[in-house]
Amino acid sequence: MSGVRAEAATQRALVVDDEVELARLVGDYLAREGFAVELAHNGEDALRLASAAFPDVVIVDVMMPGIDGVEVCRRLRTFSDAYVIMLTARAEEVDTLIGLSVGADDYMTKPFSPRELVARVKAMLRRPRQATREKPQPRRLGELSVDPGAREVTVAGRQVDLTRLEFDLLDVLSARPRVAFTRRQLIEQVWGADWGGNEHIVDVHIAHLRRKLGDVPAAPRFVATVRGVGYRMVPAA
């Protein structure tokens, strides 16, 4: 475990990969862009560094001995709101779904371009999650209540624990409940206009959001699929 630091950096990155040279390569690219970078080569060191250094973004390999990347992400989410990008050598959808279900924001499949990875990191950090100028008022849509200021969601009075991305998607949808949003529009609102990943990442997070809200896609109460377009809120009865 070692660190690659950039002086006067305003943002911090933690790179976690048991491939030492790859971790150092990614760290070097990030450091050249002004990040303060920490490197870890196993899950234990990654969690210790994350709890001490408070990184803005964590880049973590899925397949590591001991505590793997999915478990690192799961534990990280108990104390950190950092952006998480998962690296995987396998492109199977199940790996993606497992990673995103524990709170990852994005993923990249090895081999990848370090320049593209850095571009994605910068795109994530460029746009704040909450960009509202005025204090937003709580919204009610039937049994669903969304409080953007407190970032709280309840269904029939029961509090629902959402990840940052799940809340941000629901926030965008519920702010304009009569509008059908395309995946690209949702990505621009939540991930940022210059985010370059697969648009179907939206479907993964919408699926998790629906499950937590107790929604059934075939007969949705809250989030409906608009065929050929994207998603919108179900009008309150």
Side-chain angles (χ1 to χ4, degrees):
M1 181 266 300
S2 58
V4 180
R5 297 191 176 277
E7 293 184 3
T10 58
Q11 293 171 318
R12 297 175 296 279
L14 172 60
V15 181
V16 189
D17 200 310
D18 59 335
E19 297 182 47
V20 176
E21 291 305 316
L22 178 59
R24 184 170 294 278
L25 175 65
V26 172
D28 287 344
Y29 270 85
L30 287 164
R32 285 199 291 268
E33 293 297 324
F35 286 84
V37 181
E38 293 284 355
L39 305 182
H41 307 304
N42 58 68
E44 292 87 348
D45 284 345
L47 291 167
R48 181 177 57 79
L49 280 171
S51 64
F54 302 105
D56 298 290
V57 61
V58 178
I59 300 160
V60 56
D61 184 34
V62 172
M63 299 299 292
M64 293 189 298
I67 300 177
D68 65 13
V70 173
E71 183 60 22
V72 167
C73 187
R74 191 190 311 278
R75 297 189 191 183
L76 185 71
R77 280 290 170 254
T78 66
F79 64 85
S80 172
D81 204 29
Y83 288 90
V84 176
I85 298 179
M86 305 197 80
L87 307 177
T88 176
R90 298 184 295 175
E92 289 88 343
E93 185 179 25
V94 65
D95 290 334
T96 305
L97 294 176
I98 290 172
L100 295 175
S101 71
V102 294
D105 297 281
D106 197 3
Y107 73 98
M108 293 189 73
T109 304
K110 295 179 177 180
F112 59 87
S113 162
R115 287 190 178 87
E116 181 185 350
L117 175 60
V118 172
R120 289 200 193 183
V121 168
K122 292 173 70 175
M124 281 182 171
L125 295 170
R126 191 173 295 127
R127 181 186 176 92
R129 295 287 194 173
Q130 287 291 99
T132 54
R133 293 184 177 87
E134 300 177 358
K135 183 179 179 181
Q137 297 301 309
R139 311 172 191 127
R140 287 199 64 88
L141 295 94
E143 293 185 324
L144 175 66
S145 174
V146 181
D147 186 341
R151 293 184 71 83
E152 291 181 350
V153 174
T154 60
V155 174
R158 173 183 61 86
Q159 188 161 330
V160 181
D161 184 21
L162 301 180
T163 67
R164 179 173 52 188
L165 276 171
E166 291 161 0
F167 182 90
D168 289 346
L169 283 168
L170 183 60
D171 187 22
V172 171
L173 290 166
S174 63
R176 302 174 67 190
R178 297 184 180 276
V179 174
F181 289 86
T182 66
R183 292 179 182 86
R184 172 46 54 182
Q185 287 172 326
L186 290 171
I187 282 175
E188 290 177 357
Q189 290 289 316
V190 176
W191 281 266
D194 48 3
W195 187 82
N198 192 316
E199 291 185 5
H200 287 284
I201 195 173
V202 174
D203 302 330
V204 176
H205 289 287
I206 289 288
H208 295 314
L209 172 62
R210 281 170 160 168
R211 176 176 53 80
K212 291 182 179 180
L213 296 178
D215 229 354
V216 178
R221 293 185 296 156
F222 306 120
V223 181
T225 300
V226 181
R227 190 178 299 276
V229 180
Y231 299 98
R232 63 165 292 177
M233 297 301 294
V234 175

